[in-house]
Amino acid sequence: GRKHPPHPPLFKKEFSLIRRAIETDPSKTYERDRHGRTALHLICAKYDTYGPYDSEEAFLTARHLIDASFSHGTPFLCPEDNDDDDSATVSYSVHNCVLSVKDIFGETPLHRLCTTMGGASCPKLMELLLRHGTEDEERRRMRPSAARLIGTGNHHGCTPLHFLAENTEQISLKSLRLALSFLRGGDEDDDDNDDEDEPEMTRTHPLLHQDSDGDTPLHFA
């Protein structure tokens, strides 16, 4: 099977080591552990557990990871994880930035953040992800739209909105309002950023996106 490098500096909260590593080699942004998680996945999954200092360091590192994935320069071919390690067939997905990379559960960094939105600073990180860490026009043409990130389904068909709607008792409603504000604002150049591997999402509003059980985010609200 394929070997996935671990992220020991992240587990030790040595965020400066991660930033130095990706400054030397931006492609390290796409390195994944055995669960298919990038460093950005792990930051998002653990963000609400960090104290004030660590959350600021994590936020800065997340920005560096997003910027580094853009500065890689060319689309990155990422092998899709397969539970069958003996499979002779390996499929690849193409990514212009790390925000669209999925782990073995089909979840992006935004999915991971939306399952753990209990921290007061989590909306700040969500806004960074949805704004793609940049306002640069050239990068805007490369990145997936905010609506696409919000509407991406995991292997069960659940989008980040499903997680936000399901956990309204634990999370700040500010987070849910923030996500919905990006949908209301729309993305003018969304049509230029459509991915062929997710055609359904270009036709379905994220609030109406059904998971494998036929449930939309509205069913959980």
Side-chain angles (χ1 to χ4, degrees):
R2 294 185 299 280
K3 302 294 184 182
H4 291 289
H7 300 290
L10 188 57
F11 288 109
K12 297 178 181 178
K13 298 182 182 179
E14 296 175 357
F15 298 106
S16 60
L17 293 181
I18 296 176
R19 294 198 293 269
R20 286 200 295 270
I22 61 178
E23 285 171 3
T24 302
D25 183 2
S27 69
K28 289 185 178 295
T29 303
Y30 293 95
E31 287 187 351
R32 299 184 295 168
D33 64 14
R34 63 190 181 89
H35 299 294
R37 302 171 300 186
T38 66
L40 187 59
H41 279 88
L42 294 176
I43 286 177
C44 290
K46 297 165 66 68
Y47 195 70
D48 69 334
T49 67
Y50 296 140
Y53 174 78
D54 286 329
S55 65
E56 283 301 314
E57 282 290 290
F59 181 86
L60 179 62
T61 304
R63 181 183 290 278
H64 272 71
L65 287 165
I66 295 170
D67 287 344
S69 70
F70 278 119
S71 66
H72 187 257
T74 57
F76 193 86
L77 285 176
C78 195
E80 294 292 330
D81 284 281
N82 192 322
D83 291 336
D84 181 9
D85 288 337
D86 296 327
S87 174
T89 302
V90 178
S91 59
Y92 291 83
S93 55
V94 180
H95 301 276
N96 287 316
C97 71
V98 72
L99 291 165
S100 59
V101 176
K102 296 182 177 182
D103 62 17
I104 61 173
F105 304 107
E107 295 179 353
T108 65
L110 184 60
H111 278 94
R112 302 311 308 149
L113 180 63
C114 289
T115 61
T116 57
M117 290 291 287
S121 59
C122 287
K124 179 182 177 181
L125 182 58
M126 174 186 278
E127 185 166 10
L128 175 71
L129 299 185
L130 294 178
R131 292 192 185 282
H132 318 96
T134 180
E135 296 297 332
D136 182 84
E137 285 300 318
E138 181 176 353
R139 293 182 181 182
R140 278 178 59 84
R141 289 193 294 271
M142 294 171 59
R143 90 290 188 267
S145 69
R148 183 170 297 280
L149 291 175
I150 293 171
T152 295
N154 63 11
H155 289 337
H156 188 66
C158 292
T159 69
L161 272 186
H162 281 83
F163 293 149
L164 286 177
E166 185 177 19
N167 297 319
T168 49
E169 292 184 1
Q170 286 76 36
I171 68 170
S172 167
L173 287 177
K174 178 181 178 181
S175 305
L176 184 55
R177 288 196 298 268
L178 177 63
L180 293 176
S181 72
F182 277 89
L183 297 180
R184 287 196 304 270
D187 249 324
E188 296 177 359
D189 51 355
D190 187 30
D191 292 339
D192 296 332
N193 299 312
D194 287 346
D195 294 326
E196 293 181 359
D197 61 337
E198 292 178 303
E200 180 184 352
M201 201 164 49
T202 67
R203 297 190 294 267
T204 305
H205 191 282
L207 276 175
L208 302 178
H209 185 99
Q210 295 182 343
D211 63 16
S212 299
D213 298 321
D215 293 325
T216 69
L218 296 175
H219 286 90
F220 294 99

